[in-house]
Amino acid sequence: MPDIKAVLNEEIRRLAKKEVKAAVLPLVKTIAEQRHAISELKKRIAAMEKSCAAAKPAEKTVSAPVAENKKLRLNAAGIVRVRTKLKLTQNEFAKLLGVSLHTVSFWELGKVAPRAGAKAAICALRTIGKREIKRRLAAAENNA
């Protein structure tokens, strides 16, 4: 005679597996549909980005070579030093870099560090003369 405990355990496992499969099957189908929808949305986004890039070229504020970004180390005191050397206010500095006044303030307080693009722009500002900076500020004011 078979062991009743083993038979009962096997029957419980079989029924549990059947219940789990019935509960999971609709979820698997939903996940597959959502993955398909995500794939379609990614394709649409790529097509829209391509059409936007073709329609209007991106405007750059100030940039520097990418290789120089890796070597560039900026801290809060260095950013303040660059800004004061150029005799710029935080607001003017922010307009030249294409960031907000609060961002420049946070950089100078050391709360956050500039991203790679901003570091490149700061580096480029160090090499530009004061007259060129004033001309760019005037152009930025006219565009705003």
Side-chain angles (χ1 to χ4, degrees), residues 4-77:
I4 193 89
K5 180 179 175 185
V7 172
L8 188 57
N9 278 340
E10 186 61 35
E11 186 65 16
I12 290 171
R13 279 192 194 103
R14 187 185 67 76
L15 290 174
K17 188 175 179 182
K18 183 178 177 182
E19 291 294 321
V20 168
K21 187 175 181 180
V24 170
L25 188 62
L27 296 175
V28 170
K29 289 180 182 179
T30 304
I31 289 172
E33 290 170 0
Q34 289 176 348
R35 284 185 177 160
H36 180 71
I38 289 170
S39 173
E40 292 297 320
L41 289 173
K42 284 182 180 179
K43 289 177 187 175
R44 287 179 53 196
I45 289 172
M48 287 181 185
E49 286 176 346
K50 187 176 180 181
S51 67
C52 286
K56 178 183 167 191
E59 295 180 16
K60 294 185 178 178
T61 54
V62 181
S63 63
V66 176
E68 195 172 334
N69 289 346
K70 293 179 182 176
K71 297 177 186 176
L72 184 63
R73 295 186 315 176
L74 283 175
N75 58 15

Side-chain angles (χ1 to χ4, degrees), residues 18-144:
K18 183 178 177 182
E19 291 294 321
V20 168
K21 187 175 181 180
V24 170
L25 188 62
L27 296 175
V28 170
K29 289 180 182 179
T30 304
I31 289 172
E33 290 170 0
Q34 289 176 348
R35 284 185 177 160
H36 180 71
I38 289 170
S39 173
E40 292 297 320
L41 289 173
K42 284 182 180 179
K43 289 177 187 175
R44 287 179 53 196
I45 289 172
M48 287 181 185
E49 286 176 346
K50 187 176 180 181
S51 67
C52 286
K56 178 183 167 191
E59 295 180 16
K60 294 185 178 178
T61 54
V62 181
S63 63
V66 176
E68 195 172 334
N69 289 346
K70 293 179 182 176
K71 297 177 186 176
L72 184 63
R73 295 186 315 176
L74 283 175
N75 58 15
I79 295 171
V80 173
R81 198 170 24 253
V82 169
R83 184 178 60 80
T84 54
K85 179 183 173 192
L86 298 172
K87 296 183 177 141
L88 295 172
T89 64
Q90 284 184 344
N91 196 20
E92 292 169 337
F93 196 63
K95 285 181 184 176
L96 282 173
L97 297 174
V99 297
S100 72
L101 172 65
H102 295 291
T103 302
V104 172
S105 176
F106 284 167
W107 290 344
E108 291 183 358
L109 292 173
K111 289 185 177 182
V112 293
R115 293 183 180 169
K119 282 183 181 180
I122 293 169
C123 180
L125 280 180
R126 292 193 308 191
T127 61
I128 296 174
K130 292 179 183 175
R131 289 181 189 161
E132 176 65 17
I133 288 175
K134 295 300 179 191
R135 186 187 64 74
R136 289 185 185 193
L137 270 175
E141 300 257 338
N142 291 338
N143 291 337

